[in-house]
Amino acid sequence: VADSVPPGLALAATAGSAPGSEPAAAPAPATSAPAAANPPVPLDQVLHLDAWPHPIRDEPNAWRQLADAWHLPALTGDPCQAAVRAAQVHCYRGHLSAAKVQLLDRPGIVTLRIGPGPLTYAVLEELSDTQATLRMGGVRRSVTLNALTEAWQGEFATFWRAPEGHAELLQPGSGGKGVDWLATALAQWRRVAPPPAGSARMDAALTAQVVAFQNARGLMPDGLAGPSTLMQLNRTMGLDEPRLSARSPTPMPTLAK
C-alpha cells in the first residue's frame, strides 16, 4: 500500500507541542500556546507525507514523542531503557487490531506505510469505532479508521507501568512484592479484603483469580499476569495513566496476555 491512496477524510489539523520531536515551523517554544489550525488537508493527502511537516522516521523518536503523554523526563539514549530508569515504565509492542488497541485504552505508536522509503511512525492519541487522531512532530490530524487501516498493519507500541517485582508473577509458586501487589489488585477488583502482606503466592488459587479477571476484561485467559493483564489491573487500582480519548467497543475482543 506504499503508493496507494487510502480513503479517509482529515477533519481538522491542529499544532501542539511534543518534547523530543523535530522543531516545529513556528519559532514559539514547546510550552507556548497552541498555534492556529493548519489549512485543511486535501482528501487524497490525508495519509501522505506531504500532510506532515515533520514526519517521524525512526522508532526512538516516536517513543520520545509518546513520552510527553506520560509526563516522562527527556529520554536520552535508548528510550525504553531510559523510561525504566526514570519511572519504572516499560515498553510494550504488539500486533493488534484497532478493537484491541481500544481495549488497551492508552495512547501509543502506530507504524504507517504512507510513502516510498522508510516506515513512518505516529502517536495515536484518540481512537473510536470510526475515527483516529494522529500526532507527528507537534501536528495533529484526524482520519477515518478505514483510512488508517489502509496504511497501518497492526503494529502498536505503548508504555506501561509495572509493579515492583513483576518478574515474580510469571514464576509458579513464587512470592514477594509483585505477587502481593497482584493479590491486592485482584482483591480490589473482587471487592474483598486483600491477603496479609507477604502471604500471597503464585499458586493455583491466585492463578484462577487471574483467569477470572482476564475473562471479565476480554483478555486471553491463560492465567499469566503479562503486560496486557497488568495494564488492565493498573486501571482497577486507579493508577494515573494516560488514556485514549474514546470509549472501548463492546463486546470486547480477546487479547493475548
Side-chain angles (χ1 to χ4, degrees), residues 33 70 108-109 126 134 148 152 159 213 222-223 225 254:
W70 284 75
I109 300 165
E126 299 178 6
L134 306 175
L148 176 62
W152 174 57
F159 287 120
F213 177 81
D222 56 10
T254 298

Side-chain angles (χ1 to χ4, degrees), residues 11-247:
L11 302 181
T14 58
S17 61
S21 63
E22 295 89 341
T31 55
S32 62
N38 292 321
V41 181
L43 176 63
D44 63 351
Q45 295 181 12
V46 174
L47 285 177
H48 284 201
L49 289 178
D50 290 346
W52 303 95
H54 304 290
I56 307 173
R57 286 299 210 176
D58 64 280
E59 187 178 346
N61 189 26
W63 283 111
R64 295 184 183 102
Q65 295 197 26
L66 178 62
D68 180 39
W70 284 75
H71 307 292
L72 296 176
L75 302 180
T76 58
D78 184 307
C80 291
Q81 294 179 7
V84 172
R85 291 193 301 267
Q88 199 60 27
V89 170
H90 296 253
C91 292
Y92 167 87
R93 296 176 178 87
H95 195 279
L96 309 176
S97 66
K100 291 179 180 179
V101 171
Q102 284 184 295
L103 177 59
L104 286 184
D105 191 23
R106 61 189 58 220
I109 300 165
V110 290
T111 304
L112 304 175
R113 291 158 178 81
I114 57 176
L119 297 172
T120 302
Y121 303 88
V123 175
L124 177 67
E125 292 190 331
E126 299 178 6
L127 182 64
S128 71
D129 294 335
T130 59
Q131 183 174 311
T133 299
L134 306 175
R135 173 166 57 86
M136 286 192 225
V139 175
R140 300 174 76 245
R141 302 201 189 281
S142 295
V143 300
T144 65
L145 186 56
N146 286 339
L148 176 62
T149 54
E150 287 291 328
W152 174 57
Q153 297 182 4
E155 300 98 325
F156 182 77
T158 189
F159 287 120
W160 66 286
R161 198 178 303 278
E164 184 178 357
H166 70 280
E168 305 160 355
L169 304 179
L170 301 179
Q171 302 172 14
S174 63
K177 292 182 178 179
V179 180
D180 277 352
W181 182 93
L182 177 64
T184 299
L186 289 168
Q188 181 169 320
W189 171 67
R190 295 165 59 219
R191 299 184 179 180
V192 299
S199 66
R201 291 292 181 270
M202 203 65 227
D203 55 16
L206 189 57
T207 298
Q209 294 178 34
V210 173
V211 170
F213 177 81
Q214 291 170 331
N215 278 323
R217 294 301 177 98
L219 302 168
M220 184 71 72
D222 56 10
L224 300 177
S228 294
T229 299
L230 295 179
M231 289 182 212
Q232 295 295 312
L233 282 169
N234 282 345
R235 295 179 62 183
T236 299
M237 296 290 283
L239 267 66
D240 182 17
E241 296 179 326
R243 302 293 175 204
L244 285 173
S245 300
R247 60 180 177 84

